Amino acid sequence: MDRNETFFKHILEGNTNKGEFITLGSAMLDGKTVTNAFVNVPLKTMNRHGLIAGATGTGKTKTLQVLAENLSEKGIPVLLMDIKGDLSGLAQPSPGHAKIDERHAQIGLPFNPKAFPVEILTLSEQHGVRLRATISEFGPVLISRILDVTETQAGIISVIFKYCDDNKLPLLDLKDFKKILQYATDEGREEFEDAYGRISTASTGAILRKIVEIEQQGGDLFFGEKSFEVDDLLRVDENGRGYINIIRLTDIQDKPKLFSTFMLSLLAEIYATFPEQGDSGRPELILFIDEAHLIFNEASKALLNQIESIVKLIRSKGVGLYFVTQNPTDVPEAVLSQLGLKVQHALRAFTAKDRKAIKLAAQNYPDTEYYDTASILTSLGTGEALVSALDEKGRPTPLAATMMRAPMSRMDILTDNELEALLSDSKLVKKYNDEIDRESAYELLNKKIEEAEADELKEKAQKEKEALKKAESKKSTRRSSSRMNPIVKVLTSATFIRSVFGILSKAMSSSKKS
């Protein structure tokens, strides 16, 4: 048996599955595609997470598109982070091309153009289904990690949440959160001190500045109602195909704080609400995080620890996370070690640092007698990749330089008219795009402050009225005590005295005469 036949048998044996699987393409040897040497990924292990890496222009986005399409066909919903804005074409079939036909002839797969069920989501004011979450849903621990506060400040946030729970004050959006922080050290200071101890104005000021930072990145659009229900990511269409949910993030590339906040809240919500599944035959949901370095580069240590924990635990819920980035080193080692599927497109070695990164990347793949891994990483063409997956028993499949199949959908964005038509048919747009601003902590605290001020003014007015009444009473007493009795006044008057003396004089004269 010659080397080509041995290689074909090696690939075939390593990619044979009893259950369902996805075919990514056909293996290559010595730069040539070996027809029908299919490289497969079993659905059973797709909740073990994965990585799609490679330099700009090497085909990462198309690989993501292929995986999303094939998962949808198997009835598995997908969530895509569309940072560059080039994934909406999944909703339209590919127009086809002679080069695509040639590629698929080499692979040994027929090419069938198809459109897929797509839902467009948004975190900002772009068109799409609005994604929101409330402050209360995050909870004090997650909010503290997102804000990257000190231990003391985290304690204050916990007290704030406890006060709001005890007093039935809903924390829905950022204005609610800011208002309660201000109230704790101003109008409600005494109330807080009596119940929870003194709260430092310096600490609440620092927390407020952190909130303003998120607010400036668009957090005021994300925090609020109506909260997005993660179960709506699990929909399938009338043909049994899973929905491909695309989050448009083209306008928040420079807002990594908002992006990481959303991702962490989404993962936490999925982990909290999805039932335990274990290692079933297929995943419930697959998430693709494009430009993954945006999460990891800007994340605090506490936030990284939270992400790493969720990555380790969330697979038991039947959820797979796939990170798309230029270099594997963009992903922390603790996360990288959890990944089952690795699709590595070409890397470019222009500097000593690049060469070092390539050597490190090569060490992440199984040893093989058919490839010099470090060398082939720099010689792969566009649409070619090194692929290593896990078989149905959790063992690494043979490393294969792979000619990747082409996407069945359009490799371009939707036109404005196509996008408008897609959104007009969306049930989720009708469900989530009406903004709700019900009475919450902000309004209730303002009302409480107004009532307190009104009571204070009323009490002050009452006191002033009583003081005035008392003063008038004293004045009246002084006037009555200083006024002469009318009888006394007559008896002491000069006229009366002269009359009395006149009468007495006449009486005395009469007495003398007699």
Side-chain angles (χ1 to χ4, degrees):
M1 189 179 293
D2 64 16
R3 187 166 180 265
N4 286 347
E5 290 176 345
T6 304
F7 176 74
F8 181 83
K9 185 179 179 182
H10 172 67
I11 295 296
L12 188 64
E13 289 176 351
N15 286 274
T16 300
N17 300 282
K18 294 180 180 178
E20 293 182 288
F21 58 87
I22 288 172
T23 300
L24 295 182
S26 194
M28 302 169 65
L29 181 64
D30 300 328
K32 295 181 180 179
T33 305
V34 180
T35 306
N36 296 328
F38 298 133
V39 176
N40 302 322
V41 182
L43 292 185
K44 185 177 180 179
T45 61
M46 286 205 73
N47 65 334
R48 302 293 184 90
H49 315 315
L51 173 73
I52 303 171
T56 301
T58 55
K60 299 190 299 297
T61 302
K62 302 301 176 283
T63 295
L64 186 160
Q65 199 168 338
V66 165
L67 282 168
E69 292 173 345
N70 283 273
L71 286 163
S72 175
E73 274 209 312
K74 299 291 184 181
I76 298 169
V78 176
L79 178 64
L80 306 178
M81 313 293 166
D82 191 7
I83 298 287
K84 298 185 290 291
D86 51 3
L87 290 173
S88 61
L90 280 155
Q92 292 291 329
S94 168
H97 195 278
K99 288 186 177 180
I100 293 177
D101 295 335
E102 183 184 342
R103 174 181 287 261
H104 274 254
Q106 292 177 21
I107 293 170
L109 284 174
F111 179 70
N112 299 312
K114 293 179 184 178
F116 294 86
V118 167
E119 197 72 66
I120 303 293
L121 316 176
T122 180
L123 278 173
S124 63
E125 293 179 327
Q126 290 189 104
H127 295 304
V129 179
R130 289 290 300 277
L131 296 174
R132 295 188 188 92
T134 65
I135 297 288
S136 293
E137 287 169 338
F138 272 66
V141 175
L142 204 52
I143 282 287
S144 297
R145 288 178 178 172
I146 288 164
L147 296 178
D148 192 22
V149 296
T150 66
E151 188 175 340
T152 301
Q153 292 161 2
I156 289 172
I157 290 173
S158 295
V159 166
I160 293 293
F161 272 76
K162 179 70 167 63
Y163 175 83
C164 290
D165 287 342
D166 291 345
N167 292 274
K168 294 181 173 52
L169 296 173
L171 280 174
L172 304 180
D173 50 30
L174 291 179
K175 70 179 181 186
D176 290 335
F177 199 18
K178 289 192 295 182
K179 187 65 184 179
I180 187 65
L181 282 166
Q182 293 164 349
Y183 179 79
T185 52
D186 196 353
E187 299 92 346
R189 183 178 65 254
E190 291 181 5
E191 184 183 355
F192 268 84
E193 285 183 7
D194 291 342
Y196 310 105
R198 185 175 177 274
I199 291 179
S200 164
T201 53
S203 294
T204 55
I207 297 169
L208 280 167
R209 287 191 291 274
K210 297 276 189 177
I211 293 172
V212 169
E213 183 184 349
I214 286 186
E215 201 171 35
Q216 288 176 335
Q217 292 200 15
D220 54 332
L221 293 172
F222 173 61
F223 287 104
E225 292 185 307
K226 183 176 183 180
S227 296
F228 187 81
E229 298 169 13
V230 291
D231 284 345
D232 281 328
L233 297 174
L234 302 179
R235 297 184 308 142
V236 295
D237 71 359
E238 63 278 3
N239 298 314
R241 298 180 302 172
Y243 264 87
I244 300 175
N245 304 282
I246 302 173
I247 305 180
R248 303 177 74 194
L249 299 170
T250 53
D251 59 342
I252 67 166
Q253 293 183 45
D254 58 344
K255 301 172 183 176
K257 196 81 174 178
L258 178 61
F259 182 50
S260 58
T261 297
F262 163 71
M263 275 308 307
L264 191 54
S265 70
L266 179 70
L267 295 176
E269 185 71 11
I270 287 172
Y271 182 71
T273 57
F274 280 24
E276 287 287 334
Q277 182 179 327
D279 289 325
S280 64
R282 54 194 286 123
E284 289 294 309
L285 177 69
I286 297 293
L287 282 73
F288 291 92
I289 304 172
D290 201 1
E291 304 295 335
H293 64 277
L294 288 177
I295 293 181
F296 298 114
N297 290 357
E298 299 294 330
S300 65
K301 187 176 180 181
L303 197 57
L304 280 175
N305 290 339
Q306 184 76 10
I307 293 171
E308 289 168 11
S309 297
I310 289 177
V311 168
K312 292 174 184 176
L313 298 171
I314 205 169
R315 75 177 185 86
S316 67
K317 306 285 187 170
V319 179
L321 299 176
Y322 287 76
F323 301 97
V324 185
T325 189
Q326 292 194 13
N327 199 303
T329 56
D330 293 336
V331 181
E333 286 187 15
V335 173
L336 208 59
S337 64
Q338 300 294 318
L339 307 182
L341 174 64
K342 297 183 180 73
V343 181
Q344 178 65 64
H345 289 269
L347 292 172
R348 306 302 181 209
F350 295 113
T351 66
K353 186 178 179 180
D354 291 338
R355 288 191 289 274
K356 185 178 179 180
I358 288 168
K359 287 181 180 179
L360 288 173
Q363 293 172 12
N364 291 322
Y365 293 91
D367 292 332
T368 175
E369 62 181 281
Y370 296 101
Y371 307 112
D372 177 350
T373 307
S375 174
I376 202 168
L377 279 175
T378 59
S379 60
L380 290 167
T382 300
E384 300 172 0
L386 274 179
V387 178
S388 174
L390 296 177
D391 67 14
E392 291 172 323
K393 294 183 179 180
R395 302 169 301 191
T397 58
L399 182 64
T402 306
M403 172 70 75
M404 305 294 288
R405 66 189 295 176
M408 294 176 276
S409 57
R410 184 195 295 173
M411 290 185 277
D412 199 358
I413 63 173
L414 297 179
T415 65
D416 290 343
N417 289 338
E418 288 170 338
L419 180 60
E420 188 176 338
L422 183 67
L423 294 175
S424 65
D425 291 337
S426 169
K427 293 179 180 178
L428 296 189
V429 166
K430 298 176 179 67
K431 180 177 179 179
Y432 290 108
N433 281 31
D434 287 335
E435 192 167 349
I436 302 171
D437 189 13
R438 66 183 170 99
E439 192 174 58
S440 56
Y442 180 82
E443 290 80 14
L444 292 172
L445 284 172
N446 275 334
K447 188 183 293 184
K448 187 174 183 178
I449 292 166
E450 287 169 6
E451 288 173 355
E453 288 174 349
D455 290 343
E456 189 178 336
L457 287 172
K458 190 185 292 183
E459 186 179 346
K460 187 177 178 182
Q462 184 66 27
K463 285 179 179 178
E464 287 177 354
K465 187 177 179 181
E466 289 174 0
L468 183 61
K469 188 175 180 182
K470 191 174 181 181
E472 286 177 350
S473 177
K474 285 181 180 179
K475 188 176 179 182
S476 174
T477 303
R478 283 198 299 271
R479 280 201 304 269
S480 63
S481 62
S482 62
R483 190 182 300 130
M484 189 176 288
N485 191 298
I487 298 171
V488 175
K489 189 174 182 181
V490 169
L491 293 175
T492 57
S493 67
T495 305
F496 181 77
I497 291 170
R498 280 195 300 271
S499 299
V500 171
F501 274 112
I503 294 167
L504 286 174
S505 296
K506 288 178 181 179
M508 286 174 69
S509 297
S510 298
S511 174
K512 284 178 183 181
K513 287 178 182 181
S514 62

